[in-house]
Amino acid sequence: MPTVSEALSLMDYGPAPESPAVALDWLKGRTFGQFIAGAFTAPRDPFDSVNPATGAVLAQVSQGSEADVAAAVKAARAAARKWAGLSGGQRARHLYALARLMQKRERLFAVIESLDNGKPIRESRDIDVPLAVRHFYHHAGWAELIADEFPGMRPHGVCGQIIPWNFPLLMLAWKAAPALAAGNTVVLKPAEQTPLSALLFAELCIEAGLPKGVVNIVTGDGRTGAALVASDVDKIAFTGSTEVGRQIRRATAGSGKALTLELGGKSPFIVFAESDLDAAVEGVVDAIWFNQGEVCCAGSRILVQESVAERFTRRLKARMATLRVGDPLDKSTDIGAVVDRVQLDRIRGIVDQAVAEGAVLHQAPAPNGPGCFCPPALLTDLGAANIAMTEEIFGPVVALMTFRTPDEAVALANNTRYGLAASIWNENITAALDIAAQVKAGVVWINGTNLFDANAPFGGMRESGYGREGAREGMLAYLTGAGAGGRARNAPEALSPLPAGASGDAVDRTRKLYIGGAQKRPDGGYSYAVPGAQVPLGGRKDIRNAVEAAHKAGGWSRVTGHNRAQVLYFLAENLNARARDLGPGDEVAQAVERAFYWAAWADKYDGKVHSTASSQVTLAMKEPFGVMGIVCPEEAPLLGFVSTVLPAIAMGNRVIAVPSQANPVPALDLVQVLDTSDVPGGVVNIVTGPRAELTDTLAKHDDVAALWVFADATTCANAETQSAGNLKPVWTDPLTRDWSGPQGQSREFLRRAVQVKTVWVPYGA
Ligand code: NAI
Ligand code: MG
């Protein structure tokens, strides 16, 4: 007879399958058309939606054409005015109805999701669907409160929304719920691999009595997505690969369409020696083996402190061996099928290359059969340049490296183009929060990972995109301000370069650039003439020098808001004292007032504590971008400069400012004020010259994190196009403003000067 412990070790899980009967009955033999204006069109150009665990065809859906997209956008447009005109409370009731119906069909949604995507039923049932339902409830609340909480703001109009295949229903909820709450109508394109839960949602819209055309769903592949991007929508919201995100940035440049991008990641999972190692091992399971690792914020780079690396790795391997790979509908399955063969091949390709580059692979063999299964994997013995450390794999494969000191951990963590998420494991919360402040990531989890909530902003920094989803911050992505509404700006005239000291008389009046707290001659040695002065003709090299100087002034981003306020008040006083020398009275007086105004904000535009899970405080910290470019308006050369540069530095940014081209003298005169006001060198840098060219350089520069362009439409459009490289957020405004009034000091200047970092800290039970 075996002993009890022997018997236990021999025991295996019995099968615990969830029945697909109801779902298959709903799907049976169906070919779906497009959901436009509240009804399904006749199917056209159908393709299969496949169950990746078996290869079985689940249903057919239609490849949306340009005409389909146009019809859907037209329906959304026709519905927009009435939908936006409903009271918040009326829209809230529609959202509640959708939430309630989804909740009623939770099981059906979960099974459809697992069939279509391959994810384990335990996850679709316990995570995807409840979070999607919660999203609709939460946003019903925002609809209710919108007039009170977002005064003066209005919806964009029609939103085109393009979502990926990894969380089909949840991404639909993240996109549609806030858009609808804000009063927009929607054309949503699900991923071609996983369209079915969106089509089930379309049926719910009918059942819930949602007005026709408020939600439209067009299925199809990337071509349909591209058609939606090109169509007559007012905003595009995209979640998917960074490459397609770049294409969309280029395609929408100059169109005036608002854009938010939620892109890839290569998020660090940092394990300090002082962590609870067993909890951290369990964390890895949730970080990279959740949803087959097909998670944009997956903790795909483990950085573990050297002193515990051996122990940690041993436990991790043991835990990995217990994970069950197989039938997604089996309730004891941990890892289901990868979404399709293409993705499986991509995962294997990267793993093969990682091994070829010297990594050691720890992975059980894949199960036999037609399903797209990829067993969990760990890669060790690799360097920071290994492909598994740099590329998003989007599979259940994690790479592990060691570090020695906290500084090294931060350096490795930030050694990526991305900035979506980070997990930090350390029982010493002080030490963990110190790292949280230094990591470049939109979401940071302390002693946890992959926590989500409708009331927690989610989104990236750097090449992980921009915009936030969830909470108050997410609502802002679907609302817009009153708009400047002035006339279109003209492009400034071409400049005629003059060699330095061209006319003897002008030499004394030749101004200099201001870089790193010092006056500098332009690199090219040329200047140009403006009334009463000769000003430097700055170029690419000068911008690069200014960016370098701004980077060196990083201390400014770390001082307290109080300290920054003191400096700005001093600046305002000095501006006032010099008012008489600075030019026409009205504008100077307004500039002085504006400087006091932004000084007042320096320590007040603070973050939030969001109410999410009971065992967490969820902080939404407002962090400066770091180094920003600001192309100041031509109109109001002094007031426009002060109104844009000061809010940016008040929030802790360092700025490269391009002042008015035709009249840069007032901005250059400010240099003495900056010098006498204790603004540290490099915090404000001023480069005068041809603004189109200088804007182009700022847009392309990888070390400029955000850009504001108050210029003519061509310069604005080019800035957007050129920003696709490093995906910096660009705020363009091609219309003149009345800088003396509210258009010169709205909350938007502050909002556009910061990025939100969401930090989840364990609190309570
Ligand atoms: P993808 O970015 O091509 O697909 C996402 C969505 O964009 C889908 O709905 C697709 O139809 C649509 N799309 C594709 N091309 C488009 C275009 N030119 N214009 C407009 N929409 C377009 O991602 P894909 O090919 O499915 O996966 C490739 C890799 O991207 C994955 O291996 C993974 O690394 C990454 N990825 C990242 C995601 C994330 O959430 N961060 C989600 C999906 C994929
Ligand atoms: Mg599928």
Side-chain angles (χ1 to χ4, degrees), residues 351 353-361 379-382 386 388:
V351 169
Q353 193 177 331
V355 170
E357 289 176 12
V360 175
L361 172 67
L379 290 161
T380 58
D381 302 83
L382 30 64
N386 188 289

Side-chain angles (χ1 to χ4, degrees), residues 403-747:
F403 67 87
R404 287 189 181 158
T405 64
D407 284 348
E408 199 195 343
V410 169
L412 284 170
N414 289 337
N415 181 27
T416 167
R417 324 188 288 285
Y418 294 118
L420 192 48
S423 278
I424 300 166
W425 294 79
N426 195 330
E427 289 300 298
N428 178 343
I429 296 285
T430 310
L433 287 172
D434 176 37
I435 304 297
Q438 297 178 66
V439 167
K440 297 221 162 66
V443 185
V444 179
W445 295 291
I446 309 281
N447 296 329
T449 194
N450 278 343
L451 299 164
F452 308 101
D453 189 85
N455 198 25
F458 183 92
M461 296 181 178
R462 305 208 273 191
E463 289 182 28
S464 293
Y466 38 81
R468 293 290 178 268
E469 302 190 282
R472 177 184 297 275
E473 291 83 350
M475 282 298 290
L476 288 169
Y478 287 98
L479 292 162
T480 177
R487 59 185 165 72
R489 291 201 170 90
N490 297 321
E493 288 174 22
L495 296 175
S496 319
L498 302 168
S503 60
D505 183 44
V507 178
D508 286 334
R509 287 181 283 137
T510 298
R511 307 308 183 94
K512 297 212 177 78
L513 305 174
Y514 186 59
I515 295 176
Q519 307 221 25
K520 293 273 165 68
R521 282 178 207 291
D523 183 69
Y526 286 91
S527 56
Y528 67 101
V530 296
Q534 236 173 282
V535 295
L537 192 78
R540 221 174 311 156
K541 184 77 195 327
D542 302 303
I543 293 280
R544 283 207 291 266
N545 291 341
V547 172
E548 210 178 301
H551 270 277
K552 287 195 185 128
W556 181 253
S557 299
R558 292 187 290 271
V559 303
T560 62
H562 173 73
N563 283 349
R564 286 197 294 267
Q566 298 310 295
V567 172
L568 289 181
Y569 279 127
F570 194 24
L571 190 154
E573 278 171 18
N574 288 330
L575 193 59
N576 193 31
R578 296 226 20 199
R580 220 161 330 125
D581 314 334
L582 283 170
D586 276 2
E587 193 181 340
V588 178
Q590 284 159 0
V592 170
E593 273 180 40
R594 192 58 47 81
F596 278 109
Y597 178 82
W598 290 130
W601 267 115
D603 62 350
K604 292 174 191 66
Y605 190 62
D606 41 19
K608 285 228 162 339
V609 180
H610 284 298
S611 166
T612 55
S614 56
S615 59
Q616 301 280 325
V617 273
T618 308
L619 308 172
M621 309 291 291
K622 288 181 171 139
E623 292 195 349
F625 283 102
V627 173
M628 288 179 62
I630 299 182
V631 180
C632 306
E634 277 297 309
E635 75 268 12
L638 178 66
L639 182 59
F641 185 95
V642 167
S643 300
T644 53
V645 171
L646 294 199
I649 69 170
M651 294 298 102
N653 296 287
R654 294 93 75 195
V655 167
I656 296 94
V658 176
S660 164
Q661 178 180 313
N663 189 7
V665 171
L668 292 175
D669 280 347
L670 266 185
V671 164
Q672 284 135 29
V673 177
L674 293 168
D675 275 343
T676 51
S677 307
D678 301 339
V679 178
V683 172
V684 177
N685 305 275
I686 304 175
V687 180
T688 53
R691 46 207 276 122
E693 189 186 315
L694 299 176
T695 306
D696 183 78
T697 307
L698 285 167
K700 284 178 183 157
H701 203 302
D702 281 344
D703 293 325
V704 175
L707 178 61
W708 297 354
V709 186
F710 299 90
D712 59 281
T714 309
T715 302
C716 287
N718 182 60
E720 291 179 346
T721 304
Q722 299 305 338
S723 72
N726 68 359
L727 289 163
K728 70 188 61 158
V730 180
W731 179 23
T732 57
D733 183 4
L735 302 181
T736 54
R737 287 177 180 239
D738 172 9
W739 290 95
S740 64
Q743 288 179 1
Q745 61 175 38
S746 72
R747 216 48 94 82

Side-chain angles (χ1 to χ4, degrees), residues 113-132:
E113 205 73 329
S114 283
L115 285 172
D116 205 12
N117 165 279
K119 63 175 70 202
I121 186 75
R122 220 158 24 89
E123 293 176 1
S124 52
R125 185 195 61 196
D126 298 346
I127 298 171
D128 296 53
V129 179
L131 277 175

Side-chain angles (χ1 to χ4, degrees), residues 242-262:
T242 298
E243 222 21 74
V244 172
R246 285 203 171 89
Q247 289 174 28
I248 293 176
R249 173 65 287 182
R250 291 192 192 99
T252 55
S255 67
K257 290 171 192 166
L259 178 64
T260 45
L261 299 172
E262 202 267 274

